[in-house]
Amino acid sequence: MAPSDNDVLYAQVASINPAGGHLGVWKTTNGGASWTMVSGPSGPSGCDGAGQQSWYNQILAVDPNNPDALYMGTIDQFRSTNGGTSFTNVSCGYAGGNDLHVDQHALAYVGGSSSVLLVGNDGGIYVTLNADEANVNSVVFNQLNDTVSTIEFYSGDITNNFAYAAQPGVNAGAQDNGSSTYVWTTGVPGPAMWQLRRGGDGMFARIEQKAGLRWYQESQNGNLYVSTTGAGGSYGNATGAWSGDTRSFVFPYEMDKFDCPGAICDHMIAGSYRVWETVLGAVPASSWYINSPNLTKGTLGNRSFINQLSYAPSTNTTAIVGTNDGNVQIGYALGQGVANTAIWVNVTGNNTVLPNRPVLDVAMDPENANIGYAAVGGFNQNTPTTPGHVFRVECSGLNCSSFTWADKSGNLPNIPADSIIVNPNIPEQVFVGTDWGLYYTNDINATTPVWEHFTAGLPAIMIWDMAVDRDGTTLAVFTRSRGAYVWPLPHGYEAEMTSSSSLEDAPGMVVTHQFTVTNLTLDDSYTLAVDGATWPTTLLTTSPITIPASTSSVVSVQVEIPADATLAQADAFDLVVTSVNDPTLILTAVGTTTATGTAGVSTPNAQNNSAEVGTTLTYTLQVTNTGTVTDTFALMVGSSVYTVTSSANWVGPLGPGASGTVEIYVTVGNAISDTVAVTFTSTFDPTVITNVTLTTTAIFPPPPPTFYPVYLPVIVRP
């Protein structure tokens, strides 16, 4: 559609006969009410024509400011300035041009400018800043691939124990960019500049998993090569005698990487319209032999071929095959080293459940060779009575004498499923590569599995192949136009939790410990228990707790610090978290609670009084808590001459700032005076002490009067 006139639209049409050619360009100037063919097969001209790949490269973009100016992509880029009547080749990819890669797929004008045009093709992303240059020979394209990963991978593989290897490596094949490798000598995989090993169209790529020295690479139509000395070795011929077979341009082959007891993994299968096998790892190339009949329907002519095949991880005597014309077949008794000895069972079931659409990939359960999976291309509208894109077949009886298909598409979008793989560590976890990126389910056994779109660092782009290393440490995905990515595979149910929590507060207070539980893998629930506490401890989080995959939840535990707790007194509890789905997965954490605060006390410094001997005096002492915690103060009376007692042995409990009184009773003795120390000690912090000195003076009564005899003269009367 022309941005400057929405009534003007263009349509680029491919021819059916001859197949793949450019049929022409149609135009409407009335919003689609009527269409006119404005140019035919000879419309694209100049240094080269449109070619015969319009099934693969077709794209149009109209100048945002001129409805009669447009670019058209086929193998090359063409430009028209007369409303599509004629097109001139701008890039000349196979005719001397050198600044724009061939095979055009995307066009976009930028910011309403007629000059700035982005181009996407098999070589990546390009830009021209003079798209409207009058002379087409002066239009200049510059690549933007130094900062954007744009390689179009068909397939790839990674070395064994990829996540932990000292020198992990990767091997992959890319459209128009050959086959490349990379080995991280530092042991830390990351973005890297791939090293080209072979040219042409790079197709399937594999790595022998045990010794790690055989690296396989392929170009179009099944031209297979192998290096026996690692990624950087010399690649020799490993191609079987299938050149005369009907086969895919992207010729599939697969290697047994799990059930190989020898020094190396050397059982391989490849697919044309039939299966080829070698038990020597294609060394020599002549070791390939035919080991199946025609496994296709033969209904698509030269398009009836095997799209993909896979060994059962649990046994290299069993394999599964998917064909472009909708068949799935399972082979038994492979690996004997003799041609046509395998037994093949057609489990397509007349496509009553499995759609009669291209089966783009197949896989088998890592533990049960009676279970297989098929990823189906096309759209539901192609087979409306058998919709879906992911299917599972379950065999029973000898050599799958009976079988049942189930649609496992669940909530997957209605888009082609290009690849499928099962986590060897968790068979219920299945990954599907689609035209919109990666999807996964953690429960393929569910009647209607729930699929999640994996978007953590991964673009929503076509994924045509996936690989897992022999040790099951890593999932690798190979995308069409955004490079390759790896992700650490989960090993069963995994979770982690905060290991400890330490809190402190004053006596009488309540604290809440919080622990973060993270579910690292599959959806799970966890039972919670608290044990070992002396202080009142309460689990606030309801048990069990459900935590979805790759998310976290907080578990809360409340502790009440006793009012009579002393400074630095502590109590601990154990939080035990147990997986419901895997009771052997037990997480523990310790919560420690400590009483804290500052003790303080004030009293009168001294008191003095006096009384007569035998009298009992009462001293009233006010005690004030100057600390930050509720406290009780123990009272102790020091040594004395007089008799001294108290109304209580402690004062409190007193809150911060509060005061209390205690009475001290002193009975005055016969000594002239007496001094006694009354000590108050914090029970929260016994190092906090204060003294009050009480001085009592005795008052003695006056002495009794002294009587002296008086002798009076006696007068005697005569």
Side-chain angles (χ1 to χ4, degrees), residues 318-564:
T318 302
I320 188 170
V321 164
T323 74
N324 201 47
D325 51 13
N327 276 358
V328 172
Q329 305 226 23
I330 299 177
Y332 299 92
L334 281 85
Q336 300 181 50
V338 179
N340 294 314
T341 52
I343 301 169
W344 289 90
V345 179
N346 189 336
V347 296
T348 307
N350 296 316
N351 295 110
T352 56
V353 177
L354 179 74
N356 190 13
R357 306 199 304 266
V359 178
L360 299 182
D361 199 9
V362 286
M364 301 198 82
D365 185 278
E367 298 176 355
N368 187 348
N370 288 318
I371 297 177
Y373 295 92
V376 180
F379 299 90
N380 295 340
Q381 290 80 357
N382 301 128
T383 55
T385 61
T386 52
H389 293 274
V390 173
F391 292 81
R392 180 166 76 175
V393 61
E394 295 190 46
C395 292
S396 59
L398 179 64
N399 295 337
C400 199
S401 57
S402 63
F403 56 88
T404 302
W405 281 99
D407 182 0
K408 295 293 182 176
S409 303
N411 60 324
L412 281 174
N414 179 22
I415 52 173
D418 306 308
S419 54
I420 189 167
I421 199 166
V422 185
N423 184 345
N425 310 311
I426 311 171
E428 58 266 37
Q429 186 176 61
V430 177
F431 297 87
V432 174
T434 73
D435 279 8
W436 285 355
L438 183 64
Y439 289 81
Y440 69 95
T441 179
N442 290 325
D443 188 11
I444 194 65
N445 296 323
T447 302
T448 305
V450 176
W451 295 89
E452 303 289 343
H453 196 188
F454 193 110
T455 57
L458 187 64
I461 199 69
M462 288 183 182
I463 299 172
W464 278 21
D465 194 26
M466 297 184 285
V468 171
D469 57 323
R470 175 181 167 85
D471 285 346
T473 72
T474 305
L475 171 69
V477 298
F478 298 87
T479 76
R480 291 282 296 184
S481 78
R482 291 302 302 277
Y485 299 79
V486 293
W487 183 67
L489 273 178
H491 285 66
Y493 291 93
E494 298 179 17
E496 62 185 15
M497 178 172 60
T498 309
S499 61
S500 63
S501 172
S502 296
L503 296 176
E504 57 183 30
D505 209 333
M509 302 301 291
V510 174
V511 298
T512 301
H513 294 266
Q514 293 189 322
F515 302 85
T516 300
V517 181
T518 302
N519 181 354
L520 300 174
T521 53
L522 309 175
D523 294 348
D524 202 358
S525 296
Y526 305 88
T527 59
L528 312 173
V530 172
D531 189 27
T534 301
W535 293 350
T537 302
T538 305
L539 178 64
L540 299 181
T541 303
T542 302
S543 175
I545 182 174
T546 298
I547 306 178
S550 302
T551 62
S552 300
S553 290
V554 174
V555 176
S556 299
V557 179
Q558 179 178 285
V559 177
E560 180 181 345
I561 304 174
D564 59 356

Side-chain angles (χ1 to χ4, degrees), residues 566-568 599 631-632 634 679-690:
T566 58
L567 179 64
D631 204 352
T632 298
T679 302
F680 295 92
T681 303
S682 165
T683 57
F684 176 69
D685 181 359
T687 66
V688 176
I689 301 171
T690 190

Side-chain angles (χ1 to χ4, degrees), residues 147-199:
T147 56
V148 180
S149 180
T150 58
I151 197 165
E152 297 176 303
F153 283 122
Y154 280 111
S155 167
D157 202 1
I158 53 177
T159 54
N160 187 34
N161 196 31
F162 184 86
Y164 309 107
Q167 294 188 343
V170 63
N171 185 20
Q175 169 65 32
D176 264 8
N177 284 276
S179 296
S180 302
T181 65
Y182 194 83
V183 176
W184 289 269
T185 56
T186 62
V188 182
M193 184 67 70
W194 291 69
Q195 298 168 353
L196 182 66
R197 299 302 179 191
R198 297 194 59 82

Side-chain angles (χ1 to χ4, degrees), residues 621 634-640 642-649 662-666 674-680 691-692 694:
L621 304 181
L635 180 152
M636 185 176 69
V637 176
S639 59
S640 63
Y642 297 162
T643 299
V644 182
T645 59
S646 61
S647 62
N649 293 324
V662 65
E663 293 181 340
I664 307 299
Y665 307 114
V666 179
D674 186 27
T675 298
V676 63
V678 180
T679 302
F680 295 92
N691 295 302
V692 179
L694 303 179

Side-chain angles (χ1 to χ4, degrees), residues 612-660:
E612 293 182 353
V613 174
T615 302
T616 298
L617 286 174
T618 299
Y619 291 90
T620 300
L621 304 181
Q622 179 172 292
V623 179
T624 301
N625 180 359
T626 60
T628 61
V629 298
T630 298
D631 204 352
T632 298
F633 302 94
L635 180 152
M636 185 176 69
V637 176
S639 59
S640 63
V641 175
Y642 297 162
T643 299
V644 182
T645 59
S646 61
S647 62
N649 293 324
W650 59 83
V651 179
L654 300 176
S659 299

